[in-house]
Amino acid sequence: METALTRLVGVRHPVVQTGMGWVAGPRLVSATANAGALGILASATMTLDQLRDAVREVKSRTDRPFGVNLRADAGDAGDRVRIIVDEGVRVASFALAPSRELIAGLKEAGVVVVPSVGARRHAEKVAAWGADAVIVQGGEGGGHTGEVATSVLLPQVVDAVDIPVVAAGGFHDGRGLVAALAYGAAGIAMGTRFLLTSDSTVPDAVKARYLAATVKDVTLTTAVDGLPHRMLRSELVDALERAGRTRAFVRAVRHAAGFRRVSGLSWSRMIRDGLTMKHGRDLSWSQVLLAANTPMLLKSSMVDGRTDLGVMASGQVAGVIEDLPSCAELVERVMTEAEVALSGLPTDRLCTQPGVHLCYDRDAEHPRGPCATGRDPE
């Protein structure tokens, strides 16, 4: 299935595996790439040396295109950009909007720039600055998320920008891919669905918690880091929501110190990153410190398997996922389901050939849906 996304980044299928911290490592990213989709390596929790080693490990496992997710507001963002440029990484993805200068430098080096956004105005801004595509995440998505549902946000962004839009938040199967294409997207991005694969390094006991969850077990809370954060409800989340401000602050200090040791960052660098994070947002210093707490809480679950000490970021789709396929099996399933969904649409009003070029009714003026000819249909 060829779309603007597949042409832009050079993958076979319009499916993206998102850059989840502590989850999207070399094994998952290379398995995704080998399956014909776009894998995104999460770098925010890595030191510079770890990032370089991880990129090289992915390259040793696959010759397919992949990307690296970066924190645009990190103090060493420039150093990380130099690594991905030097190592020939195809795509740079960002959780926060990169600057105009950062986008220009990446594009000059031949790197495709794909920021993630949660609002139409953010998509318009990065598109005006030269971003090649955007991933737009609706409120159903896991981790830090917004309030607007994908079904409302996605068409807003598609109508607002002239670059490929990738839909995220609430996707896990081929029907969702077809729905996203119908809205005008060039593909879908999935996080929780790729976390729950056999290629994911997340401990089995943690995966079991996800598989056992219902839709109602996925909650949105500000208790972890002061920002809306979607995750599985757990005893720890309940305790954090009940904790007073002082107790939460002490916990945040302890975990921030732990993250400093793991990441190799100095306190001065963490403070500078905190100032950057605070800039332009209505965040107290307590909230900034709580945000520094998050990586260690995620590591406790995603790496150490301690669901009693950590949090489990999750999209709402966790409540409808029931198995752990390999990435190859997942991507093949999604594409097969998409073909079935397309073939089930009324054939007198929609061309059933695969793809995303617009197809017209024989006697109608307006396009009715996706078609793949790439030619003006008869």
Side-chain angles (χ1 to χ4, degrees):
M1 182 181 287
E2 182 179 321
T3 73
L5 172 66
T6 63
R7 292 190 293 270
L8 177 65
V9 300
V11 296
R12 292 178 56 215
H13 306 301
V15 176
V16 177
Q17 163 253 303
T18 60
M20 300 164 281
W22 305 114
V23 176
R27 191 171 89 179
L28 181 62
V29 171
S30 58
T32 301
N34 285 327
L38 181 67
I40 304 290
L41 186 70
S43 78
T45 57
M46 298 178 183
T47 66
L48 295 176
D49 288 341
Q50 288 171 342
L51 171 58
R52 191 184 303 276
D53 290 344
V55 168
R56 291 177 177 177
E57 183 178 345
V58 175
K59 291 168 65 176
S60 74
R61 291 169 174 260
T62 184
D63 59 359
R64 306 284 181 85
F66 66 96
V68 171
N69 181 260
L70 305 165
R71 268 189 56 192
D73 61 344
D76 60 355
D79 296 329
R80 293 172 183 271
V81 165
R82 278 191 290 275
I83 289 174
I84 69 172
V85 170
D86 291 345
E87 295 295 333
V89 174
R90 176 63 176 161
V91 177
S93 131
F94 293 89
L96 297 172
S99 66
R100 187 193 304 266
E101 293 74 22
L102 198 56
I103 293 174
L106 285 162
K107 288 171 66 71
E108 185 177 352
V111 180
V112 177
V113 181
V114 186
S116 295
V117 299
R120 180 178 62 184
R121 67 182 184 278
H122 298 155
E124 291 171 333
K125 178 172 68 175
V126 295
W129 288 352
D132 297 291
V134 291
I135 296 175
V136 53
Q137 178 176 300
E140 300 94 322
H144 291 118
T145 193
E147 299 177 350
V148 182
T150 304
S151 59
V152 176
L153 180 60
L154 176 59
Q156 281 188 316
V157 174
V158 168
D159 291 344
V161 300
D162 295 324
I163 57 177
V165 176
V166 180
F171 296 100
H172 66 102
D173 62 7
R175 294 175 299 175
L177 172 57
V178 172
L181 296 177
Y183 274 118
I188 57 172
M190 302 186 296
T192 305
R193 177 65 274 196
F194 276 102
L195 183 157
L196 293 174
T197 60
S198 59
D199 294 304
S200 163
T201 58
V202 171
D204 290 343
V206 178
K207 291 179 182 178
R209 287 289 297 268
Y210 279 89
L211 293 177
T214 69
V215 173
K216 292 184 178 180
D217 293 323
V218 184
T219 189
L220 187 66
T221 182
T222 59
V224 173
D225 56 12
L227 299 170
H229 204 149
R230 189 172 294 285
M231 60 186 62
L232 294 188
R233 179 158 290 285
S234 66
E235 297 83 358
L236 176 62
V237 173
D238 290 340
L240 289 173
E241 290 181 340
R242 292 194 304 267
R245 185 172 301 178
T246 301
R247 184 178 173 187
F249 186 82
V250 171
R251 184 191 294 268
V253 171
R254 185 171 67 252
H255 284 289
F259 180 58
R260 185 187 69 81
R261 290 191 297 271
V262 170
S263 66
L265 296 176
S266 65
W267 280 112
S268 60
R269 171 55 65 82
M270 291 181 68
I271 291 171
R272 287 199 300 272
D273 286 353
L275 285 169
T276 303
M277 183 186 301
K278 193 173 187 298
H279 180 69
R281 300 184 181 92
D282 186 22
L283 297 179
S284 67
W285 271 110
S286 293
Q287 288 175 311
V288 171
L289 189 56
L290 284 167
N293 177 29
T294 305
M296 293 307 294
L297 289 176
L298 289 168
K299 179 179 181 293
S300 293
S301 290
M302 300 299 109
V303 178
D304 303 332
R306 293 295 303 272
T307 58
D308 56 328
L309 298 178
V311 298
M312 295 165 281
S314 176
Q316 287 182 307
V317 294
V320 296
I321 294 174
E322 299 178 343
D323 61 352
L324 298 171
S326 68
C327 288
E329 292 167 339
L330 172 62
V331 173
E332 181 179 5
R333 180 195 303 176
V334 167
M335 299 313 301
T336 299
E337 290 170 345
E339 292 176 6
V340 171
L342 283 170
S343 67
L345 295 173
T347 56
D348 61 331
R349 300 188 67 80
L350 181 67
C351 176
T352 57
Q353 297 182 55
V356 292
H357 191 78
L358 288 175
C359 186
Y360 290 73
D361 284 354
R362 186 175 298 276
D363 300 320
E365 294 183 15
H366 303 295
R368 293 296 184 184
C371 170
T373 60
R375 304 184 299 272
D376 290 333
E378 297 178 355

